Amino acid sequence: MKSLSLYVERDSFIHRVDPITKLFYIFAAIIVPFVMKDLTVSIVCAAVSLILLAVGKVLRNAITVFACLFLIMITIFLIQALANINNATVVFSISGIHFYAEGMINGVKIIMRMTDMVAAFLILILTTKPSDLVEDLIRAGFSPRIGYVIMSIFQIVPHMAGAIDVITDAQRARGVETKGSLPVRIKAFLPLLGPVVLNSFMNTKERAMALEVRAFDAKNKKSFLNEAVNFRHAMAYRVLFVLLAVSAVAWRAGGVLL
Amino acid sequence: MISVQNLWFSYEPDDRKRPNPDKKYALRDISLEIDKRPTAIIGQNGAGKTTFVRILKGLLTANRGAVTVMGEDVSRTTAARLARNIGLVFQNPNDQLFKKTVMDEAMFGPLNIGMGEGAARKSVMRALDIMELSDKLDTNPHDLALSDKKLLCIASVMAMDTDIIILDEPTISQDYVGREKVKRVIRLLRDEGKSVMTIIHDMDFVAECFERIIVFNEGEKLLDGGAKEVFSDAEMLKKAHLEPPYALQLAISMGLGEVCLTEADVIRCMMEA
Ligand SMILES: Nc1ncnc2c1ncn2[C@@H]1O[C@H](COP(=O)(O)OP(=O)(O)OP(=O)(O)O)[C@@H](O)[C@H]1O
Ligand SMILES: [Mg+2]
């Protein structure tokens, strides 16, 4: 079945890291540059996240996402360079429009933080199977119901796409034209919606029953089909990430106090 | 009516950059001609039967080879246009039914291929009568029993009055009464001069209703011929993991020299002997 997940199957160190540790990394990667309002720190954090993507052999897949963000980044940079309130030092001018140093530095900072944050999330998304993440969360004590809801979100869209294919075939088989010009396609698509939604609801009901007859609701401890991603130094890394975040906050708090 | 030449089909798409050399083919080099004889397509699960008829119907496109339906090249037309000539009853009724009432479901095909409303209604009522569903016109198809769903699928394709009708496992989940209904329909369609093709796992049913048998095995056409001829080829049947019909097994173990396909055959042979 098609899947909504962006998981890319590769063999890499990052793929072997367990999902929860990746969540800790995201936490650190967001906190550190935000509290240490320093340009160099932002650049270093962004670079680290990008390098980790490269180590995970998914940099190329990440580029597509960054390409979509590119326009937003350019816009932010321009707005900052032209209209930041702290703007004072003109670096250069193009046909009477002044570009200011303060704004440009701030723009780069924001872009670096965005890059860092997006890259950190992509590390999780591109190198982790959604099911591994959800199972790990349940192992860590999250409710299986919430886990199921999260998994359903990953499944419902591909499922609907599948249902559309099935019903399209049923309609084509009995003389509905589905190929050709845009109006023909739209005319063929609209009558699909009713049956597709109905079909999904029916499936939801049956799935709920299927879960119940197999003791989804049972209160005992569950076991799992997939083994937990066993990452050897998980604890060490998690502590490291928390320490980084905490020391960033401490450093900043100290700086403010001094 | 239908002509198939050197047909190859795979569900695995070709890589955009380089063709995939170890691609698995669901159908390999199939060539055959379908005529007016009622034809059964038999073969193990996964042999490629459903895939084959979906290609004839234009729902799937062959990777290689040519398929023509009533002189029309399938690759140059659409499934919608083919629907005027060829009707397909899906293997899984839940894949075929999508309307809210039995009547709407059955009317859908005939109206789409341009039958007038009056004619469509007449054709639909006749088909539903044969299937004994005419007292359930306002029922939601999904509330029908599985066996009735399948009969409704058959009725709604029958109502389209196409020259070729393909049934994918029509006896699925049918009890004795349902099986008899399906048998009646197949005979009726044959008598009306339509060409009926049926995918089916029930060998006794095959022996009773079909003149020609095509055997698929692992994506290839293994045998193609008259019912007696195919069923007497014990070796090939074994290769395709198929059992001959019960009557034939009986005749063989009784030492009757003739290829008997039905109980009536067996009795006749015994009387003669
Ligand atoms: N949608 C699909 N995508 C990928 N592979 C498929 C798909 N449908 C069928 N196949 C594969 O193609 C092969 C032929 O399947 P097909 O459904 O044509 O078999 P069949 O002869 O109709 O079997 P059955 O008697 O079980 O209905 C099988 O190996 C099957 O797993
Ligand atoms: Mg099949």
Side-chain angles (χ1 to χ4, degrees), chain A residues 169 171-174 176-177, chain B residues 54 57 59 78 96 105:
Chain A
D169 271 357
Q171 303 199 339
R172 291 199 298 151
R174 282 186 280 159
V176 180
E177 194 58 78
Chain B
R54 288 179 81 88
K57 177 76 187 152
L59 293 172
T78 59
Q96 186 178 335
E105 186 69 52

Side-chain angles (χ1 to χ4, degrees), chain B:
Chain B
M1 311 210 78
I2 301 180
S3 145
V4 178
Q5 261 144 32
N6 307 103
L7 172 76
W8 291 72
F9 177 85
S10 171
Y11 282 102
E12 294 166 30
D14 256 325
D15 210 307
R16 244 174 299 161
K17 283 172 207 137
R18 60 199 119 90
N20 182 355
D22 37 36
K23 186 154 71 167
K24 260 183 58 195
Y25 282 92
L27 292 173
R28 288 196 301 273
D29 204 17
I30 308 278
S31 299
L32 49 82
E33 303 279 329
I34 300 292
D35 47 33
K36 287 256 178 199
R37 278 182 294 169
T39 301
I41 300 182
I42 61 178
Q44 259 190 304
N45 289 129
K49 307 176 299 291
T50 298
T51 308
F52 179 68
V53 298
R54 288 179 81 88
I55 293 173
L56 300 187
K57 177 76 187 152
L59 293 172
L60 295 172
T61 313
N63 297 70
R64 264 184 275 158
V67 180
T68 54
V69 173
M70 311 199 65
E72 199 169 7
D73 184 348
V74 169
S75 62
R76 297 237 176 102
T77 180
T78 59
R81 259 190 287 154
L82 281 170
R84 287 161 216 277
N85 295 326
I86 177 167
L88 170 66
V89 178
F90 290 15
Q91 178 165 0
N92 179 355
N94 293 332
D95 289 350
Q96 186 178 335
L97 303 171
F98 57 88
K99 283 288 189 183
K100 285 200 197 68
T101 67
V102 167
M103 188 65 187
D104 285 351
E105 186 69 52
M107 287 292 277
F108 186 83
L111 291 180
N112 261 309
I113 58 170
M115 232 186 242
E117 210 206 307
R121 200 168 284 276
K122 227 172 106 191
S123 174
V124 162
M125 285 317 294
R126 174 172 169 267
L128 290 176
D129 267 337
I130 295 174
M131 293 306 181
E132 293 170 33
L133 286 170
S134 36
D135 56 335
K136 301 202 170 102
L137 296 184
D138 297 321
T139 310
N140 187 319
H142 286 288
D143 292 336
L144 294 175
L146 182 56
S147 52
D148 277 346
K149 277 190 199 176
K150 190 81 197 190
L151 295 180
L152 171 60
C153 288
I154 299 176
S156 44
V157 169
M158 223 177 118
M160 289 166 74
D161 197 27
T162 51
D163 287 326
I164 305 167
I165 294 188
I166 305 175
L167 306 163
D168 198 341
E169 297 192 28
T171 53
I172 233 172
S173 80
Q174 299 295 344
D175 58 12
Y176 176 75
V177 178
R179 258 174 57 111
E180 290 304 305
K181 275 185 212 167
V182 174
K183 217 179 273 180
R184 240 183 3 249
V185 165
I186 291 174
R187 296 209 169 116
L188 184 79
L189 292 170
R190 179 197 59 196
D191 294 343
E192 285 176 355
K194 300 190 183 307
S195 99
V196 186
M197 208 195 302
T198 303
I199 295 174
I200 190 153
H201 286 292
D202 178 340
M203 295 304 136
D204 300 319
F205 194 97
V206 175
E208 281 174 64
C209 293
F210 296 96
E211 289 168 29
R212 176 185 179 187
I213 300 175
I214 300 170
V215 181
F216 275 57
N217 186 42
E218 294 174 3
E220 286 175 17
K221 186 182 84 174
L222 198 63
L223 278 178
D224 179 359
K228 286 201 168 167
E229 182 192 333
V230 168
F231 278 136
S232 51
D233 194 337
E235 203 176 308
M236 283 297 199
L237 285 185
K238 200 165 171 199
K239 190 173 164 197
H241 306 277
L242 295 170
E243 281 225 306
Y246 197 64
L248 180 56
Q249 294 184 35
L250 185 68
I252 291 171
S253 52
M254 290 201 315
L256 299 177
E258 210 176 308
V259 182
C260 301
L261 294 186
T262 59
E263 286 156 41
D265 273 355
V266 175
I267 294 170
R268 189 182 41 77
C269 278
M270 286 175 63
M271 302 291 255
E272 282 169 10

